[in-house]
Amino acid sequence: MNALSRIVIIGSGAAGMSAASRAKRLKPSNDVIVIDSSRWVSFAFCGLPYLVGGEVKDLDELLYYPPSEFTKRGIDLRLNKTVIEVDPDSKKLIYVDNSTGTKESLEWDKLVLATGARSKAPKLWPEIRGARNVFYIVHMESGQQIRDYARSLGPGKRAVVIGAGYLGLEMADNLAKLGLKVTIIEALGQVAPRMLDPELAKIVEDNIRSKGVEVVTGAAVERFNIINNTATEVVTSKGTYQGDMFVVGVGIEPNNELAKQLGLKLGQSGGIIIDERTLTSNPDVYAAGDVTEHKDLVTGQLVWRPFAQIANKMGHVTGSNLGGVDSVFLGSVGTSAFKVFDVVAARTGLSASEASKVGFKPVEVSLEAGTKAHYIPGGSKISLKVVADEKTGRLLGAQAVGFDETAFWRINVVASLLTRGGTVWDLFNADYGYQPLLSPVWDPLVIAARLLMRTFGERPW
Amino acid sequence: MNALSRIVIIGSGAAGMSAASRAKRLKPSNDVIVIDSSRWVSFAFCGLPYLVGGEVKDLDELLYYPPSEFTKRGIDLRLNKTVIEVDPDSKKLIYVDNSTGTKESLEWDKLVLATGARSKAPKLWPEIRGARNVFYIVHMESGQQIRDYARSLGPGKRAVVIGAGYLGLEMADNLAKLGLKVTIIEALGQVAPRMLDPELAKIVEDNIRSKGVEVVTGAAVERFNIINNTATEVVTSKGTYQGDMFVVGVGIEPNNELAKQLGLKLGQSGGIIIDERTLTSNPDVYAAGDVTEHKDLVTGQLVWRPFAQIANKMGHVTGSNLGGVDSVFLGSVGTSAFKVFDVVAARTGLSASEASKVGFKPVEVSLEAGTKAHYIPGGSKISLKVVADEKTGRLLGAQAVGFDETAFWRINVVASLLTRGGTVWDLFNADYGYQPLLSPVWDPLVIAARLLMRTFGERPW
């Protein structure tokens, strides 16, 4: 080994490139090498639906920075190369060039696993492997392939989207924008099942249906029927649905092959368990992003949350620690959001039923209110639920569905309070601004607090 | 006195009607009487600019509820009656009917002062009292008068607005919407001087000017020149400005005449000092809304903040206490916002210079960032400043100016953290949602936190 400290980062997505940039910038003597099996760096998977729908014109627009930017920063990028072996004892790895098949080995002082998540689709339904019209997100090209295929079909043909989570819904929205007829198939009994309570999900579903999209819930996909490498229909527990193309928007898992090779401690999801400095159970191996589990700040339990903003923060923390700045990622509270068709939905923390499951005694309030002053034309309604703990008055979570961006922002406000252990009285007292064009004088958040205080009383305990 | 507890509330605005409704609802045996010199109840002064501009068609739309609603709730409304005498010893007051001149007296068990604020304009410039084309906000009718006069002038005539605070700016915006030429005169050196730092105010000012509005700063109004009851020009320290109508949007003060008669303890602003239950220095007199001072949760000092959302909360607390539910208003952190022309501006807590004045050692960061994912068309820029305390890492305040509503909401997020004593590390860790159509993956708030952590380090102390 040379005198430099060599940091090898596997994975060039949000977490990997955040870590790489920071480790190099804080300590230029670090030798930072990033290896990825794709040709892409610093890519935004979350933008793929908008590439499909055409709002984003070109795949390159989805890069936060082009590869050249990282090379300029002194980072050694080795793209289109797949790591096939890692050995924790010799601290050596072997990667293969995807084009030439050439193998190379590389030693590390510190390793960072930022290998992200992968689709379970080909494992769940092996028959789709050869099918040219069944898609799922593997790499950035997947977005382009979906778009190109959808355009080649043209308006009037039918796309079947498997899964009504946020990715499935966003894909459905964007496929509909291209003029395709769209069917959404969801195994559970409602859309956005991991995010929203049924009555809020209903608002989303009604809006989607009103756009002519067929929504089928309670339909578990059993198999795809494929003729001549072309899927013609999907067989579900509820019936068979025909389509001209199929997009699988469900079923991802931590991409943990290398973590297993390294013998790292994994959590229940298969994600790598890391400490607050993002260090794994191996003191020379960090991990960040979608391949890791982290702490939920409401329950204290480990969770797997493959979200880009969390991956970026984690990567930042990893890079800081590798650059000599003591840094911590404390956890998250489970904030997520989507915007599909006319609807904005967001949630943070726990639902009442989730709260019960982990031992809280939840008190829940529910309301519908205007998002702007009542006398301002163009305001809309927000449906809001807030959950608090009966024993302490601590806020546990909130969900909102509305027709403007304030549903997202009101949930961000609750998320901030959750991060800080806020209570129902904080929800009342928090000094939200008021301006008639922007909000009503009694903000829905304050109305929710007032409803909660019927149970908790109006003076903080 | 009868067996009932008689609660007399002076003032039928936000605070008064909140208190009345709640006191009656929680304890129907309360005899609740509300007296006001106007004909209006539960009115939204903040909506008057939109009545002027035409977005709000009719004055009645600005009522949160019509008077009949309160009568239905069992509240005894005595409108168009002015209280002229209150005696704390006999617990008796005298009011006069504005139409008939009849006097009546009334005893109370508990009195609530919700007398609001009043314009200092006629005191500052006595010559405007008789002028038919100089306007300031007295009651709801003021808005209608401004609108009617502006419409009678018609497009092309010039309106001069005195004061570039949020009311002045909103009036200017709405007068411009009617086709008038508009001049804004501000005594201090920038627009929004009590709200924004100069460099953020500049963004607002540039946008206003780009709409053809003349903005004159550093021009203190000395007097109005009036001919035949018509003001023709305003003389300032910087020159004389002609106009066809004049709207004074500055200089309000607590309407504390009756508070003085009662011998209540007043703060530096002239606002009534109340405790957290909204009780004044007289144990039988509560006060709520724009006539009171309350505690700033960042500095611990008493402040006067005549904002409708605060008045509503205070009135709620007063009403709860009168209804037998122990309730507290803990204070505010100084969140305010406006939207004028294309700009949304908001602030919370302290600016760096305000923080220095009260003994903090502020660390300030400043940035400009996109409000949406970079690849989503239609995003805009937000300019954001965040201030924290060097000694503790506690957040002290933030300001934002942008061209969409997210400037308002990002400030609300900081306000929530301030209410809860949040730190720079909370600003980083708070789990804001991410969705490309709604926000960038590195939220400007997180970028601000990262900049602050350059000073504070990345691990919470």
Side-chain angles (χ1 to χ4, degrees):
Chain A
M1 297 291 298
N2 48 26
L4 295 169
S5 182
R6 179 182 285 163
I7 296 164
V8 176
I9 297 172
I10 308 176
S12 60
M17 296 319 295
S18 275
S21 299
R22 191 123 182 102
K24 186 71 188 174
R25 179 163 142 205
L26 289 176
K27 207 171 175 179
S29 67
N30 276 332
D31 176 23
V32 178
I33 300 170
V34 179
I35 310 175
D36 197 275
S37 58
S38 82
R39 299 183 298 109
W40 305 97
V41 295
S42 185
F43 40 78
F45 274 150
C46 308
L48 290 182
Y50 311 102
L51 182 76
V52 171
E55 214 159 345
V56 174
K57 301 292 171 219
D58 191 272
L59 210 45
D60 285 334
E61 292 175 29
L62 294 181
L63 304 187
Y64 207 76
Y65 292 111
S68 58
E69 171 62 25
F70 295 100
T71 309
K72 210 190 302 166
R73 292 178 188 179
I75 294 163
D76 181 351
L77 284 181
R78 305 193 185 180
L79 301 179
N80 199 30
K81 296 178 199 320
T82 306
V83 177
I84 51 172
E85 245 182 272
V86 278
D87 177 35
D89 301 320
S90 62
K91 298 174 75 171
K92 203 183 274 187
L93 60 79
I94 297 171
Y95 61 82
V96 57
D97 186 293
N98 298 346
S99 308
T100 63
T102 322
K103 282 184 192 177
E104 277 193 72
S105 81
L106 192 64
E107 291 177 34
W108 72 79
D109 294 307
K110 299 287 176 190
L111 185 68
V112 179
L113 287 188
T115 48
R118 67 179 163 221
S119 175
K120 286 190 284 189
K123 223 187 311 187
L124 293 171
W125 307 293
E127 67 273 19
I128 67 175
R129 281 175 205 257
R132 60 192 190 94
N133 66 337
V134 182
F135 302 92
Y136 49 93
I137 304 293
V138 183
H139 271 309
M140 294 295 280
E141 281 86 355
S142 314
Q144 198 146 13
Q145 287 157 4
I146 295 171
R147 183 191 63 183
D148 292 349
Y149 198 88
R151 285 189 181 168
S152 76
L153 288 176
K157 298 289 179 146
R158 182 163 297 272
V160 178
V161 175
I162 315 301
Y166 68 93
L167 181 60
L169 295 176
E170 287 166 2
M171 281 293 181
D173 184 356
N174 281 285
L175 288 163
K177 277 203 179 78
L178 293 179
L180 276 77
K181 293 180 192 159
V182 178
T183 302
I184 300 173
I185 310 265
E186 167 59 45
L188 299 174
Q190 60 169 80
V191 300
R194 277 170 197 84
M195 215 178 125
L196 296 176
D197 285 350
E199 70 274 29
L200 295 189
K202 174 112 193 357
I203 301 170
V204 178
E205 194 177 320
D206 287 349
N207 186 258
I208 296 173
R209 284 186 199 277
S210 78
K211 304 298 176 182
V213 172
E214 181 185 22
V215 181
V216 184
T217 54
V221 169
E222 290 165 2
R223 66 169 194 281
F224 293 81
N225 286 337
I226 295 177
I227 300 168
N228 291 335
N229 292 333
T230 306
T232 56
E233 54 193 23
V234 58
V235 180
T236 78
S237 58
K238 209 171 176 172
T240 297
Y241 297 88
Q242 300 186 324
D244 300 297
M245 69 183 291
F246 299 81
V247 178
V248 181
V250 285
I252 61 168
E253 62 186 358
N255 193 5
N256 61 7
E257 286 308 321
L258 299 177
K260 283 179 182 165
Q261 277 193 34
L262 287 161
L264 301 181
K265 208 174 156 189
L266 305 181
Q268 285 199 324
S269 70
I272 303 168
I273 294 179
I274 54 173
D275 70 10
E276 59 181 24
R277 300 179 69 244
T278 74
L279 201 58
T280 69
S281 54
N282 180 325
D284 292 319
V285 181
Y286 288 82
D290 295 358
V291 74
T292 67
E293 289 194 355
H294 67 268
K295 196 159 89 174
D296 181 283
L297 296 173
V298 177
T299 64
Q301 295 178 351
L302 288 175
V303 287
W304 182 56
R305 293 193 171 129
F307 294 147
Q309 75 279 25
I310 290 179
N312 267 306
K313 278 187 188 176
M314 278 186 180
H316 176 92
V317 168
T318 305
S320 292
N321 285 314
L322 288 168
V325 171
D326 188 21
S327 185
V328 293
F329 177 74
L330 298 176
S332 75
V333 297
T335 313
S336 62
F338 63 78
K339 182 177 178 185
V340 291
F341 298 101
D342 306 325
V343 190
V344 176
R347 67 110 70 191
T348 188
L350 306 172
S351 68
S353 74
E354 289 165 346
S356 294
K357 268 177 215 149
V358 294
F360 290 106
K361 198 158 175 206
V363 175
E364 178 185 85
V365 296
S366 195
L367 63 99
E368 192 190 67
T371 62
K372 307 282 161 84
H374 67 274
Y375 50 81
I376 294 296
S380 62
K381 292 279 176 196
I382 184 175
S383 295
L384 175 68
K385 290 180 90 167
V386 182
V387 179
D389 174 36
E390 197 187 53
K391 219 163 93 184
T392 58
R394 198 178 134 206
L395 295 170
L396 296 176
Q399 300 179 18
V401 173
F403 296 85
D404 62 34
E405 302 185 8
T406 67
F408 173 71
W409 283 104
R410 288 192 167 94
I411 290 302
N412 276 342
V413 167
V414 179
S416 306
L417 289 171
L418 283 185
T419 306
R420 185 78 198 166
T423 66
V424 295
W425 304 285
D426 294 318
L427 191 66
F428 179 81
N429 272 296
D431 187 11
Y432 319 112
Y434 162 57
Q435 209 285 343
L437 301 177
L438 302 170
S439 63
V441 68
W442 283 109
D443 195 274
L445 293 170
V446 182
I447 298 173
R450 279 169 48 184
L451 294 175
L452 283 164
M453 292 193 303
R454 287 187 191 167
T455 300
F456 291 93
E458 297 194 4
R459 175 186 285 274
W461 300 341
Chain B
M1 297 292 299
N2 48 26
L4 295 170
S5 182
R6 178 182 285 166
I7 296 164
V8 176
I9 297 172
I10 308 176
S12 60
M17 295 321 293
S18 274
S21 298
R22 191 125 181 99
K24 187 70 188 175
R25 179 162 142 204
L26 290 176
K27 207 173 179 179
S29 68
N30 275 331
D31 176 23
V32 178
I33 301 170
V34 179
I35 310 175
D36 197 275
S37 57
S38 81
R39 298 184 299 109
W40 305 96
V41 295
S42 184
F43 40 78
F45 273 151
C46 309
L48 290 182
Y50 312 101
L51 182 76
V52 170
E55 214 159 346
V56 174
K57 302 290 172 220
D58 192 272
L59 210 44
D60 284 334
E61 294 176 26
L62 294 181
L63 304 188
Y64 207 75
Y65 292 110
S68 58
E69 171 62 24
F70 295 100
T71 310
K72 211 189 302 167
R73 292 179 187 178
I75 294 164
D76 180 351
L77 283 181
R78 305 195 184 179
L79 301 178
N80 200 28
K81 297 180 198 321
T82 306
V83 176
I84 51 172
E85 244 182 271
V86 278
D87 177 36
D89 300 320
S90 62
K91 297 173 74 171
K92 202 183 275 187
L93 61 78
I94 297 171
Y95 63 82
V96 58
D97 186 292
N98 298 345
S99 308
T100 64
T102 322
K103 283 184 189 177
E104 278 194 69
S105 81
L106 193 63
E107 290 178 34
W108 72 79
D109 295 307
K110 299 288 176 190
L111 185 69
V112 178
L113 287 188
T115 48
R118 68 182 162 218
S119 174
K120 286 190 285 189
K123 223 187 314 186
L124 293 171
W125 307 293
E127 68 273 20
I128 67 175
R129 281 175 204 258
R132 62 193 191 95
N133 66 338
V134 182
F135 301 92
Y136 48 94
I137 304 295
V138 183
H139 270 309
M140 293 296 280
E141 282 85 354
S142 313
Q144 199 148 12
Q145 288 158 2
I146 294 169
R147 183 191 65 183
D148 293 348
Y149 197 87
R151 285 188 180 169
S152 77
L153 287 176
K157 298 291 179 145
R158 182 163 296 273
V160 178
V161 175
I162 315 300
Y166 69 91
L167 181 60
L169 295 177
E170 287 166 3
M171 281 293 181
D173 183 355
N174 282 285
L175 289 163
K177 276 203 179 78
L178 293 179
L180 276 77
K181 294 181 191 161
V182 178
T183 302
I184 300 173
I185 309 265
E186 167 60 44
L188 297 174
Q190 62 170 77
V191 301
R194 277 173 198 82
M195 216 178 124
L196 297 176
D197 285 351
E199 70 274 29
L200 294 190
K202 174 116 193 355
I203 301 170
V204 179
E205 193 176 319
D206 287 350
N207 186 258
I208 296 172
R209 283 186 199 279
S210 78
K211 304 297 177 183
V213 171
E214 181 185 25
V215 181
V216 184
T217 55
V221 169
E222 289 166 3
R223 66 169 195 281
F224 293 80
N225 285 337
I226 294 177
I227 300 167
N228 292 335
N229 292 333
T230 305
T232 55
E233 55 192 22
V234 58
V235 181
T236 79
S237 57
K238 210 173 173 170
T240 298
Y241 297 88
Q242 299 187 326
D244 300 297
M245 71 182 290
F246 299 82
V247 178
V248 181
V250 286
I252 62 168
E253 62 185 0
N255 193 4
N256 60 9
E257 286 309 322
L258 299 177
K260 283 179 182 165
Q261 277 192 35
L262 287 161
L264 303 180
K265 206 172 156 190
L266 305 181
Q268 285 199 325
S269 70
I272 302 169
I273 294 177
I274 54 174
D275 69 9
E276 58 182 23
R277 300 179 70 245
T278 74
L279 201 58
T280 68
S281 55
N282 181 324
D284 292 318
V285 181
Y286 289 83
D290 295 358
V291 74
T292 67
E293 289 193 354
H294 66 269
K295 195 158 90 174
D296 181 283
L297 296 173
V298 178
T299 64
Q301 294 177 353
L302 289 175
V303 287
W304 181 57
R305 294 194 170 127
F307 295 145
Q309 76 277 25
I310 290 179
N312 268 306
K313 279 187 188 176
M314 279 186 180
H316 176 90
V317 168
T318 305
S320 291
N321 285 313
L322 288 168
V325 171
D326 187 20
S327 185
V328 293
F329 177 75
L330 297 177
S332 76
V333 297
T335 312
S336 63
F338 63 78
K339 182 177 179 186
V340 290
F341 299 100
D342 306 325
V343 189
V344 175
R347 68 108 72 190
T348 188
L350 306 172
S351 68
S353 73
E354 288 165 346
S356 294
K357 267 177 216 149
V358 294
F360 291 106
K361 196 157 176 208
V363 175
E364 178 184 84
V365 296
S366 195
L367 63 98
E368 192 191 67
T371 62
K372 306 283 161 83
H374 68 275
Y375 50 81
I376 294 296
S380 63
K381 293 278 177 196
I382 184 175
S383 296
L384 176 67
K385 291 179 89 168
V386 182
V387 179
D389 175 35
E390 198 187 51
K391 221 163 91 184
T392 58
R394 198 178 134 207
L395 295 170
L396 296 176
Q399 301 179 17
V401 173
F403 296 86
D404 61 36
E405 302 184 9
T406 68
F408 173 72
W409 282 104
R410 288 194 166 93
I411 290 302
N412 276 342
V413 167
V414 179
S416 306
L417 288 172
L418 283 184
T419 307
R420 186 75 199 168
T423 66
V424 296
W425 304 286
D426 294 318
L427 191 65
F428 179 81
N429 272 296
D431 187 12
Y432 318 111
Y434 162 57
Q435 209 286 343
L437 301 176
L438 302 169
S439 62
V441 68
W442 283 110
D443 196 274
L445 293 171
V446 182
I447 299 175
R450 278 169 49 184
L451 294 175
L452 284 164
M453 291 194 302
R454 288 187 190 168
T455 300
F456 291 93
E458 296 194 5
R459 176 185 284 275
W461 302 341

